[in-house]
Amino acid sequence: MRFRSLISLLFLLFFTSSAYARFVSLNPSSTSLISDGIDGGSNLAGSGSVIKTVVSAPAEEKEEACEQTYGFMPCTKTALGNVFLILVYGFLMFTAATYLSAGSELLLEILGPGIVGGLFLPMLGALPDAMLIMVSGLSGDAATAQSQVSVGMGLLAGSTVMLLTVIWGTCTVVGKCDLRDSIAVNNQDTKGFHLKDSGVTVDIWTSYAARIMAISVIPFVIVQLPQMLGSTSGRQLSVLIALILSVLMLISYCVYQVFQPWIQRRRLAFAKHKHVISGILRHLKQHALGRLLDDEGQPDEHVIRKLFLTIDANNDGHLSAAELKALIIGISFEDIDFDKDDAVGKVLQDFDKTLDEQVDQEEFVRGIKQWLIQAMGGAPSGPEAGPRTMKFLDNFHVQTKREHALLGDNENGENDEEGGEVADPKWITIKAALLLLLGAAIAAAFADPLVDTVNNFSAATGIPSFFISFIALPLATNSSEAVSAIIFASRKKIRTASLTFSELCGGVTMNNILCLSVFLAIVYVRGLTWNFSSEVLVILIVCLVMGGFASFRTTYPLWTCFIAYLLYPFSLGLVYILDYWFGWS
């Protein structure tokens, strides 16, 4: 179906570009007359039915003629015609983004998240935007590029703002679940549109992604410094410094993305071990009737030694791996799945200091005391804790459960992908490569015509090209990503919500470093003037507000969607006021 639509559009473009009218020479020095087809040529000189060279303003008509991209792409000077062309070229860019996304997902299925997820996916996702930004600054001479580069800045700002406002707010609405103890309950949505008791919860990695996104605006601040300081000198130097920094940040971000799955597995393993510690301590508390602490709130060694004897089944003075495993198996860990043998190994690492693969009584006492201090937060609980007041263990248990949930464990039956082996890996690799090549080719071919059409529409309507590209172009380049995010969020699970909002933050990060790197390179190499103060301010406000909000919380109540939605018209209005009322540049 996609290929059929693409072929239809190509035929449409071909026939549109092939439509020409009869051309009349407009040479002002020519005395040639044009017959009306009625009188004979003998009476041309004095006939009233003769059409003289009445086309009285040849220079103006030449100026009205539009310039065809590549010499054959259709073009028009009328507003309605340009709207049609923007829709056609926009759909082609949307198709390119769709092919790139599909090919990237196939590669991810074959090669896994590491290099593909860290390097290819973020870059391929930003490729259509980068193409449009690049051609907006490479067209024609420097003066033409300076006039067209606002299209690239409009796309850069518009993509960032749309992802963090309209798409973010919509994902919050469609992904909302009931909130219980400030955590969303998977697949439970009975609160309706309650602003506080309904919302989404994401994992801790989404907070990290939001922090990275907020940090990625630093190059914008650097390139804007001369304008902030009111200086006319040093602008090219600030562009160069911002370019170097954005490239370094791009490399660092890709490296982080490559190693992030490994970091996530390590963090998850540590969280599971903390949950095992919590479970064992609560189990021991029950068997000790709550007397794990003495009257001064310190670990009670006498009680701990008695507990050791109850666990030592063969009374040999040592706890073997089998006895520790029996202890762990007998404890309910509330639907958290983990490898019991791996848990035993980690307990031995904590307790067995003699490395003899067993735990004696002294090692057990020392290890339990360390666990209790860890559960108390590393600080003495004081006499107010009391020998029977063990609330800190319950708090520690709740904390470990929350940490485990926010790390996004996907081993408890929450896998949203269909099981089964991958079908022919060779064929899938070929298909992925073809989709990526086709998507890149379409993006490269139609980026320049789209930019030209936006400028033509701006000239025909008097609407600044920045606002056209700010509103219209992100709909073409980010529609595939937006639809995918909304559909994924509608599954109403913590895991899918986490992936959705992480991808939104990642998309904005790539805009701020990859697309900005392309933009800055064009500005520096071509010697263009950086005069985008209001646009940079909008990007900073939206990224810092949404990034700061998502950096320090993992639950987004429903009321937060209104903040996201309101930032979109606020951004448009702010740019208009600063540019056309205060004359910012």
Side-chain angles (χ1 to χ4, degrees), residues 2-15:
R2 288 177 182 167
F3 287 102
R4 195 173 300 167
S5 302
L6 179 61
I7 292 172
S8 302
L9 283 172
L10 291 177
F11 271 114
L12 177 63
L13 290 173
F14 173 76
F15 286 120

Side-chain angles (χ1 to χ4, degrees), residues 106-107 110 422-435:
L106 288 176
L107 274 185
I110 295 296
V422 177
D424 186 359
K426 183 177 180 180
W427 162 243
I428 291 181
T429 303
I430 295 174
K431 184 178 179 181
L434 291 174
L435 287 171

